[in-house]
Amino acid sequence: YKVSEKVEVTASCGKLKKPVSGGIAYQEECLISNLAQLGEAIASGTILTGEGKTELVGDEFITSMANGLTVYYYVILEYPNKETSQNEDIGLGFDGVVTVEASDAEPDIEIMAAYIKNEDTGEYDPIDKMPSEGFWQLNEKSMCSNEAKPIWDNKNHGVLVSNLTQSGTGCVLYFEEYKTPSEEMLVKLKIDSSDIKGTVSQIIGLACDVNTNNSAHDSGRCAMTDSGIYSATTSEGTTYYYRGTVNNNWVKFGNYWWRIIRINENGTVRMIYSGEISSENQPDKDDGRWVPSGNSQTGTSVFNIDTNNNAYVGFKYGVLSAGNYASTHLNTNDSTILGVLRTWYNGATMDKSLIDGETGFCNDRELATSNHGDTRYNNYGYGTNATWYAPFDRVAKSDSSSEYAAIGEEQKPTFECKNKTRDLFTTSDSSTGNGALDVPVGLITMDEAIYAGGFAGQNNYGYWLYTGNCYWAMSPYCLGTSGNANVFLVGNNGGVNWYSANWDVPGVRPVINLKANITFSGKGTVDDPYIPSKI
């Protein structure tokens, strides 16, 4: 017998009397408990006497690929009660050894047919032999008999099969070019590899269109004109983000306009709220940015109602009276803005089953590595100790300066969240991040705003994040020498800047992540926006 779960099998035996001609015959009968749970026997046979060997099961393949699957085999030995006399067996017994012998022979797998995807036609063309180079993956249509599962080994360019339990297993394979989760999402969004402009090696200025960054506001500030979709590599994989003056990241989801910030490394799509959909609230179609006729935010709010503690730079925070950094930045208390976001999310009209809670939102509370030339900053990160936080490190002019790097000097945003267990805010049922959220909603980070085309300390009226309003980011700036917790924001002039956490003027633009296993219609333009749906 073969089962995938352990079964407690025991035997209890007793003597029985049976009247026979001329006397009484004594028999022993045994009852085996839980035998029905073993199912049908996969093999049976008669045990040979003497030194002979009886093979009960042959060609049983046990593979280690099935995610740690354990297989249990049970051998039941029975001595039958015969109709004839068994007196000669009285008092005797038997013994033997049950053995499992391993073989080096290749499993008997037959490739019944194989196909490869034609990227030009989208059809699968038959092939005579397996790919010998390149990176490939098997489409979900690939299958094997006997409930086995085929897996393509790109390293050795061969077929592996999990749950291979029988010889004579046949497989039909459908090959397509291997794509990372974020590349898979590019396909769903109808973004060709030729649309990706590569990477931005250095960020030393604004990304904007000179025609939209007009002289009435910001003459000569467009140091860069890179606009489009760019890639960046992180420890989690490759992410693709929208930068500059773009008009192909529009999404209609629920009753709201959204704009895609980036395709995350895991294939989810990060979007920022851009207003309710109504006849009075339509995107400006005259250029690639939206100066909204309506409202691009859900309202205004303080980040935290109080500011006189390092804890208040947190999306959630810990013990205000703590005399140490770790307790101060526990995730036990909601920030004011998290409460505002929760209220909006719970009342929002949209299909929330499409929203991802695993990817999370980074509230980077790492301490700065320098006091930036100001000895009043000890960077302890608790109480009212003046403290710079790591996001400021990335936009500061130098370790010895408390000024922003100017145009022509490098600012160094990152998509990494260094301390995920503390600062990556995910929902409680996720396996990544801190699991501290009950609703999967957050804010844009300072870093994402700079990747989008902003620049700390510089106005930018000509990139897609500019709305004419200021709104909160999620990244801490400092606990200043005056005792105020300060947080980054995007200003009403499009520049990346900061302000005291209790300022009630900045707007709230919720950010969500859509799941990777959904599909999209549309082209992402104002006239034909992306519309997400379940596969």
Side-chain angles (χ1 to χ4, degrees):
Y1 300 86
K2 184 176 80 172
V3 292
S4 58
E5 295 184 0
K6 191 173 182 179
V7 179
E8 294 296 329
V9 179
T10 58
S12 59
C13 303
K15 290 182 179 180
L16 297 178
K17 294 180 181 180
K18 181 179 179 181
V20 294
S21 177
I24 297 176
Y26 292 90
Q27 293 181 340
E28 185 177 45
E29 289 194 358
C30 298
L31 298 177
I32 302 175
S33 66
N34 296 328
L35 184 61
Q37 293 185 35
L38 298 179
E40 296 292 328
I42 62 172
S44 61
T46 301
I47 298 175
L48 300 176
T49 59
E51 299 297 323
K53 182 183 297 185
T54 300
E55 182 180 282
L56 289 176
V57 178
D59 293 334
E60 270 288 307
F61 293 109
I62 307 173
T63 67
S64 60
M65 292 180 55
N67 299 320
L69 176 67
T70 301
V71 179
Y72 298 89
Y73 289 87
Y74 289 81
V75 180
I76 308 296
L77 303 180
E78 297 179 331
Y79 183 80
N81 281 316
K82 301 177 182 178
E83 294 298 325
T84 58
S85 172
Q86 295 180 227
N87 289 342
E88 68 274 14
D89 293 335
I90 294 176
L92 300 181
F94 64 88
D95 58 31
V97 178
V98 178
T99 62
V100 178
E101 297 180 351
S103 171
D104 294 330
E106 290 291 328
D108 183 12
I109 304 170
E110 182 180 1
I111 307 301
M112 308 296 292
Y115 304 87
I116 199 162
K117 187 175 183 180
N118 185 320
E119 295 296 332
D120 294 330
T121 65
E123 302 295 326
Y124 285 86
D125 300 330
I127 53 176
D128 297 328
K129 58 182 180 179
M130 302 299 100
S132 59
E133 58 184 21
F135 291 91
W136 302 89
Q137 61 188 6
L138 294 177
N139 183 277
E140 58 188 12
K141 294 194 299 183
S142 301
M143 64 182 66
C144 296
S145 59
N146 302 321
E147 299 184 354
K149 180 181 178 181
I151 300 171
W152 180 249
D153 178 8
N154 261 313
K155 181 178 180 181
N156 300 302
H157 289 88
V159 179
L160 304 174
V161 181
S162 68
N163 197 34
L164 180 60
T165 58
Q166 298 182 36
S167 62
T169 295
C171 301
V172 177
L173 309 177
Y174 292 85
F175 289 94
E176 56 188 36
E177 286 189 73
Y178 173 77
K179 292 182 176 65
T180 64
S182 55
E183 288 173 334
E184 291 281 2
M185 184 52 69
L186 288 178
V187 174
K188 293 179 182 179
L189 294 172
K190 305 174 186 66
I191 299 171
D192 190 79
S193 58
S194 61
D195 297 326
I196 308 300
K197 292 197 171 184
T199 60
V200 178
S201 59
Q202 279 189 317
I203 294 181
I204 58 173
L206 312 178
C208 50
D209 186 328
V210 176
N211 294 324
T212 58
N213 222 43
N214 61 69
S215 58
H217 289 300
D218 229 2
S219 177
R221 296 286 183 141
C222 271
M224 301 174 68
T225 57
D226 50 340
S227 293
I229 304 172
Y230 291 80
S231 65
T233 302
T234 74
S235 60
E236 301 295 326
T238 301
T239 181
Y240 298 92
Y241 61 96
Y242 290 81
R243 179 168 172 80
T245 309
V246 294
N247 191 32
N248 58 346
N249 62 341
W250 290 96
V251 179
K252 277 186 176 181
F253 178 51
N255 194 38
Y256 314 105
W257 289 106
W258 301 83
R259 299 196 76 172
I260 299 174
I261 299 171
R262 62 183 177 117
I263 301 169
N264 298 306
E265 298 89 329
N266 62 1
T268 58
V269 177
R270 193 186 304 274
M271 310 189 304
I272 188 168
Y273 177 92
S274 295
E276 291 191 8
I277 296 173
S278 68
S279 58
E280 295 80 24
N281 201 21
Q282 294 295 317
D284 179 357
K285 301 177 183 179
D286 293 333
D287 53 50
R289 58 180 170 81
W290 181 23
V291 182
S293 55
N295 199 347
S296 60
Q297 52 203 37
T298 61
T300 60
S301 173
V302 298
F303 193 92
N304 266 307
I305 197 70
D306 294 312
T307 66
N308 60 339
N309 196 289
N310 272 280
Y312 292 126
V313 300
F315 197 53
K316 295 189 81 168
Y317 59 88
V319 182
L320 296 175
S321 60
N324 62 80
Y325 170 84
S327 297
T328 300
H329 296 290
L330 293 172
N331 295 315
T332 52
N333 302 297
D334 289 350
S335 64
T336 306
I337 202 165
L338 174 54
V340 171
L341 287 166
R342 179 189 293 111
T343 299
W344 172 84
Y345 182 88
N346 288 334
T349 306
M350 53 190 176
D351 185 353
K352 294 171 185 173
S353 68
L354 302 186
I355 299 175
D356 166 80
E358 283 273 327
T359 307
F361 315 91
C362 189
N363 176 218
D364 183 5
R365 289 170 285 181
E366 287 286 297
L367 297 175
T369 57
S370 166
N371 65 10
H372 291 280
D374 191 333
T375 57
R376 294 174 296 175
Y377 285 80
N378 55 35
N379 291 355
Y380 290 162
Y382 61 87
T384 57
N385 289 285
T387 300
W388 296 113
Y389 286 90
F392 177 65
D393 272 351
R394 299 193 284 272
V395 296
K397 186 172 185 176
S398 67
D399 287 345
S400 60
S401 174
S402 58
E403 297 179 0
Y404 291 136
I407 287 180
E409 299 169 336
E410 187 176 13
Q411 297 189 352
K412 301 177 180 179
T414 181
F415 288 120
E416 302 279 4
C417 195
K418 186 174 182 179
N419 191 323
K420 292 182 174 63
T421 57
R422 182 190 62 226
D423 294 337
L424 185 62
F425 280 83
T426 58
T427 51
S428 58
D429 59 350
S430 72
S431 57
T432 59
N434 57 27
L437 295 180
D438 58 350
V439 288
V441 60
L443 298 170
I444 196 170
T445 67
M446 173 275 292
D447 303 86
E448 289 170 336
I450 291 179
Y451 274 116
F455 202 76
Q458 302 291 332
N459 298 347
N460 189 350
Y461 298 87
Y463 74 129
W464 72 266
L465 272 180
Y466 170 72
T467 67
N469 298 308
C470 65
Y471 51 92
W472 287 113
M474 198 166 170
S475 307
Y477 177 73
C478 74
L479 193 288
T481 56
S482 61
N484 284 333
N486 298 294
V487 179
F488 277 99
L489 49 72
V490 177
N492 57 9
N493 54 18
V496 176
N497 224 310
W498 60 269
Y499 217 89
S500 177
N502 68 346
W503 193 31
D504 60 2
V505 172
V508 181
R509 296 186 71 188
V511 171
I512 59 173
N513 296 296
L514 293 181
K515 292 178 178 178
N517 62 343
I518 63 176
T519 188
F520 290 84
S521 61
K523 298 178 180 179
T525 62
V526 168
D527 297 319
D528 189 13
Y530 291 123
I531 299 177
S533 61
K534 296 176 182 177
I535 294 178

